[in-house]
């Protein structure tokens, strides 16, 4: 399987600490649910600290909670590349639930950005339940990026010789 | 646009009251968030009573909350057709966020089931923010139905002459 | 189920004949496969004239052929609203295959646009196999619209009192 | 990013040659379009030999052609694990078009299966245009597997100690 690293030419512009502070400021209702674990060029890892409010009968983690951590992981990955742009919003998420998560265990979302365009960012996310190797869910996520903030992909292409043509979005 | 009514041959087997009681029993954590508004053959309408925990900065309704009401509307629509099967689970949801919901207003999810097979049910949902005519989001939802409960489609086909061949799922 | 007609305030700017001529000019390879059946405000119907090249063993219509007619129906619906913009491109399609189409029969895609924004158009499509009432497949489609062509939704909102705020995309 | 290899415990049961012969027998209309490049445990790589019939104006590869190679790559990956089961069918595909493919160049689809259950297989695919490092498209694919053929996941779990609980699908 091809190594995606060859197109991840740009560095992050926010650290894990920057992102944690940003989450506390901008999302006071939910920042405690989510721990930013790590970020790298075009990648991020976020953990959902599973609590009672995230559970369904039998202790399984709810769909909305899984959606939430997948969504936050993409948001964090994008902001790590473009800076603290609070107006980036989800336009589409497609999520497949593949296995039942372990009762009451944290869920970690590992995101990779596949395209960081001028107006849209597209990525995918694998969700893991602590203690189980196989991903419990997978998501495709698309974010819209406000004008002026999304040009990283073209610049990355120029530096590394990827030859990315200007995308219409 | 074609009227889907011609393939909705079967009646519901649960009423709105049946479903409300079922939700209270089976989902004690969340039943207060959701009001079953109506059900009909292959359709259901569920309202999210938007509270502080469902909001993001600026008062907009969060993605997980929108996911939640879309998911519950499909669950309710399916159970209305097959009976109180608590083990039906979401396998896939694809959701498009199209417009920002009105701050603090309820969101109603209107679901129609497009296929009720032996093992999978497929439907779509339009989400409306109270006071705005255009849907704020749309979702495609697939549920898996435990063995023995999902045979309604074939029976409906036989009664109405739809000629549904046996589908593998 | 709510009538979507209340937000379809704008008229089409292309007729069926306009669209058929446009398809012949712009898509010489495939225009014979697709017949534009009808268009209306925010809706379109396109038929795939199923031939040998569209089939799989057993005579069933192939996935790519179903994808193709769903995609063209959204393209036609969008162009009917914004004019002959050949640069509109598909950014996302999510398609569910629900029933096996009838061997060798035409497949008709009925599309409705749910959002026609400044840069993105979002719609859904039901695909019907001639002679069968139940849809054989369903698709969600998102198109990107080149700058300057996608402002119909905001104008429609102003005229009809929908109060659509300017969307970021 | 976590290495998915830890859950790919089972070996393939078909080789590249087995799969090429199978494609010739079962899909006479399209086998020449697709070259099975490689298979491994839970992975496959298939190349679309781009011809005139796969193109749109300007030489770009059509959406249906991209859909086709993504779909075939998942089909091949699944059959490599469960044997020559011609009745496996696509139930869902969600595809994001991220970059314009190079005019007239082959497109290679690299698939990984994320779940191989008793009735459903879920995977994702990255599509590459020859000569460009960044993927041009990404797809999530779900296949239904006829009864009796899809038990590999549970057996794989037993051998490797993954502890996969019985999934309903």
């Amino acid at each position: 399987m091809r190594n995606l690293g060859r197109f991840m030419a740009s560095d992050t512009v926010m650290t894990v600490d920057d992102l944690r502070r940003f989450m506390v400021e901008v999302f006071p209702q939910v920042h405690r649910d989510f721990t930013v674990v790590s970020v790298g060029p075009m990648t991020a890892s976020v953990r959902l600290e599973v609590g009672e409010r995230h559970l369904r009968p039998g202790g399984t983690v709810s769909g909305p909670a899984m959606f939430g951590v997948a969504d936050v992981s993409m948001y964090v990955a994008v902001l790590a590349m473009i800076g603290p742009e609070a107006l980036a919003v989800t336009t589409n998420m497609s999520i497949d639930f593949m296995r039942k998560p372990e009762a009451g265990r944290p869920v970690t979302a590992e995101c990779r950005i596949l395209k960081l365009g001028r107006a849209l960012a597209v990525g995918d996310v694998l969700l893991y339940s602590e203690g189980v190797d196989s991903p419990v869910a997978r998501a495709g996520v698309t974010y819209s990026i406000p004008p002026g903030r999304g040009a990283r992909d073209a610049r990355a292409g120029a530096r590394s010789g990827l030859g990315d043509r200007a995308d219409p979005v």
Side-chain angles (χ1 to χ4, degrees), chain A:
Chain A
M1 177 110 355
R2 195 175 313 200
N3 177 357
L4 285 172
R6 283 176 287 168
F7 81 99
M8 301 180 194
S10 292
D11 266 346
T12 54
V13 300
M14 296 182 78
T15 64
V16 167
D17 283 346
D18 293 334
L19 287 155
R20 289 177 178 176
R21 273 191 297 268
F22 183 80
M23 291 291 290
V24 171
E25 289 172 30
V26 179
F27 294 103
Q29 303 101 330
V30 297
H31 75 90
R32 285 184 196 81
D33 287 353
F34 303 110
T35 301
V36 178
V37 175
S38 65
V39 293
M42 304 287 264
T43 70
S45 181
V46 175
R47 184 174 61 239
L48 172 70
E49 311 295 349
V50 171
E52 187 60 33
R53 63 197 167 292
H54 301 123
L55 299 181
R56 287 283 183 262
T60 191
V61 181
S62 74
M66 305 279 276
F67 174 102
V69 67
D71 192 41
V72 170
S73 76
M74 178 67 179
Y75 183 71
V76 163
V78 170
L79 264 55
M81 299 302 290
I82 70 172
E85 178 48 73
L87 295 178
V89 288
T90 318
T91 52
N92 172 276
M93 182 178 311
S94 181
I95 182 164
D96 289 289
F97 299 99
M98 302 185 296
R99 298 173 176 85
K100 207 164 117 162
E102 288 292 310
R105 297 277 191 89
V107 170
T108 298
E110 294 186 357
C111 174
R112 64 180 176 179
I113 301 174
L114 295 168
K115 170 184 163 172
L116 189 58
R118 287 181 306 210
L120 291 182
V122 180
D124 59 18
V125 185
L126 291 176
L127 291 93
Y128 293 90
S129 182
E130 192 185 79
V132 177
D133 279 346
S134 308
V136 292
R138 170 278 296 282
V141 192
T142 300
Y143 260 78
S144 79
I145 299 173
R149 298 308 297 273
R152 299 307 299 276
D153 207 45
R155 293 203 295 277
R159 279 203 293 277
S160 65
L162 286 176
D164 244 6
R165 64 203 72 68
D167 296 317
V169 284

